[in-house]
Amino acid sequence: MDIEISLTDLPEQSEVIRLYRANEWSAADKPEQLMAALAGSHSLVTARINGELIGLGNALSDGHLVVYYPHMLVAPEYQGRGVGKQLMLAMQQRYQGFHQQMLTADGEAIGFYESLGFSRAGKTEPMWIYAGNDH
């Protein structure tokens, strides 16, 4: 499997929405806002096989100390094959040396992120005001 990882790729709306829908993420129901959010990210990483978008992740950052990874998706048929790991390693390399790298993980994603060096943030509790229903 020849995966192309890119930090400069700008995916089309239709392929982004297809990926989000395949993962049952509610952001797919707001395509204009989703595309604007991804375009406004500090970084966007994509994974493609033969030109097909099979994964993406983004980062929000102050550019110096703190980075937050809000989205990381891999097409269901490619999950468990190292695609997510390659996406995250590209991001972690981009933000190497930052004081704080943060994300919110649930379910099976917790073990995945732990394998990449993430751990529970002390005694913190995740909190949000959230309009979705996919978590």
Side-chain angles (χ1 to χ4, degrees), residues 81-130:
R81 297 186 185 186
V83 177
K85 182 176 182 177
Q86 288 185 49
L87 290 167
M88 278 307 300
L89 290 176
M91 285 296 217
Q92 287 183 292
Q93 182 176 7
R94 163 84 166 80
Y95 295 101
Q96 183 178 1
F98 271 49
H99 182 68
Q100 189 175 66
Q101 296 184 41
M102 302 168 49
L103 55 80
T104 301
D106 65 359
E108 294 176 14
I110 294 169
F112 168 73
Y113 289 114
E114 287 175 339
S115 76
L116 294 171
F118 288 88
S119 61
R120 183 181 168 106
K123 295 179 181 179
T124 64
E125 288 291 333
M127 301 175 81
W128 61 15
I129 296 173
Y130 180 56

Side-chain angles (χ1 to χ4, degrees), residues 16-17 20 27-39 71:
V16 169
I17 298 305
Y20 276 70
D29 297 333
K30 298 180 178 185
E32 291 80 20
Q33 294 96 325
L34 172 57
M35 294 306 294
L38 294 176
H71 292 189

